[in-house]
Amino acid sequence: MEKTLLSIEQMEEINSLLKQKAVEAGAETWQDRKEAQKVSCKFGEEGVCCRICSMGPCRITPKAPRGICGANADTIAARNFARMVAAGAAAHSDHARDIAHVLHMSSENGSYKVKDKDKLYKLAGEWGVSTEGKDLYDVAHEVAEVALMEFGKPFGTLRFLDRAVDGRKETWEKEKVAPRAIDREIATIMHSTHIGCTAEAESLVRMGIRTGLSDGWGGSMIGTELTDILFGTPTPTQTESNLGVLEEDMVNIVLHGHDPSLSEMIVLASEDAELVAYAKEKGAKGINLAGLCCTANEVTMRHGVKMAGNFLQQENAVLTGAVEAVIVDVQCIFPAMAALADCFHTKFITTSPKAKIPGATHIEFDEHHAFDSAKGIVKEAIDNYANRDRAKVYIPDSKQTAMAGYSIEAIIKQLDLVTNSHVDKTGTVKPLADCIVSGVLRGAVGIVGCNNPKVRPDYSHIEIIKNMIANDVIVVATGCAAQAAAKAGLLDKEARNLAGQGLRTVCELVDIPPVLHMGSCVDISRIILLVNAVAKHLNMDIPKLPVVGIAPEWMSEKAVAIGNYVIGSGIDTFLGVYPQVTGSAEMVDLLTNRVEDIVGAKFTVEMDPAKLSEQVLERIEAKRTALGI
Ligand code: BF8
Ligand code: SF4
């Protein structure tokens, strides 16, 4: 037990040692910049600064309660919030669009192939794409085309809404928040928040939910499905986590970003015999890949690639002095990484025209020659091995074993271990639903999202997770929250010893850890579908279930889009960091109260992880009481 768990204090001690390395190297890190940004702008913090037109910027104060056009605090905060949703949905969905294009270019002899044929054919069936007598790749291309149409189709609502439990569909229709085409929802927000359009906070909140849903039940869901089709549906995989996964005597490559169409090819290239031999020629024992942020989640789920860490760990990876290349694509990449890499031998390689960063080495990834392109990038890293300055190397002695890769399919397979096939159908969520109804599990929470220096990084994730499992609440995690859990050892099966008796028994019977790694942030669509499956099984709408979403350290616009689709899906969502709307009493009331009348769920904000945990447990028990279970 001792060896698998790492305390927050131990993590912080490692961070301080690495910070010391930064000082020695004359390198700046996020802690320095946070210090320099100490006095944050109150107007920005409260969401009441508007710079939507060039008559402004206008800032709301008691003496100036309206901008030049007359917009008040409610309008301004609501517009700013809605634009965050639009940007977040755009990021997730544009990632998904790229994956759809990759599926469209997949072929028998190309770099990209179909790995999960069953999933492709299932989706083809769901979308009415005929498969009979057709070549596998013709089906793949047609499915990709249908997916691409979801972004801009002129009529109707998103296809995946059909998957939802009846209560959700009815609510979305009644409240007019059923998303139409994904791009359309994003464009509508940009239009409606232009000067002189919507001034009413409630309608902006509704638009935010609809656009959020276009991400959760659109872009993100398409991203997850098509990624599984191309690269395989994740299965439980053992891996290791934290900076101790870097190797002294190997070429260390850190993969950072989000899009598996790059990272999958880098994984293949790093296993290429010719390149491994080349690395050996250069004096290394081989090539060692490690992931950061959501890319880590993607490649660990499908290949067991080790995880170097989460969002606020990205600079630490370079500070080890042992990384030959950080290869990035899109999202959550500090622009500061370029200057930081310059203080070491590390090559910071950008690959996407959507995320160019000054000071980086830009090698554009060519998806049409994906494998060769990836090989070229990996070769850059190998060539850099000779430049490593051994005197600067410090690889912390910390790595925890972790289980990752719990797709819904994988979870159901584990649940089948306790399904009596003489009585019940296998391949369903019934055992999970039974455990919740009987009270063996009090409920389930999804813990997701980023790191944020506004709170003690990783501490909130870890404390809340521990509190949940100790109280027999099973946890599913994605994104940087999952990485925090991994670093602390909470994704190890042994962590079941920290669980309450009910959860521990379930974990033993079903052979799972108490915290299930379900993937990247795009894969929150998996969590939504799992909850939806339980709701369908129990024949009730999602808001009734003792299920809660928590984003203890969220920071990105993507997280705002996610929050909106999680509440839109009927799941109460607890945030550990305040959204920038507090300058508007109406927005606070809408998000933490009135929105419940619209979609059956609302936000709660609490920065203290102990108090937040208590409130979550109370909410779960209140839902149980209401159900009479
Ligand atoms: O999409 S949890 S810091 S890495 S935004 Fe970014 Fe936040 Fe991490 Fe993945 Ni998600
Ligand atoms: Fe000011 Fe209105 Fe322009 Fe915003 S839209 S900057 S509140 S004038």
Side-chain angles (χ1 to χ4, degrees), residues 250-273:
M250 293 177 91
V251 174
N252 288 310
I253 298 177
V254 170
L255 277 170
H256 177 14
H258 286 79
D259 187 342
S261 43
L262 170 76
S263 48
E264 283 284 329
M265 287 300 130
I266 299 284
V267 172
L268 287 183
S270 71
E271 290 164 353
D272 179 71

Side-chain angles (χ1 to χ4, degrees), residues 50 52-53 55-56 58 67-69 71 76 79 195:
C50 181
I52 274 174
C53 88
M55 293 193 284
C58 299
I68 294 168
C69 68
I76 292 172
R79 285 196 302 216
I195 180 173

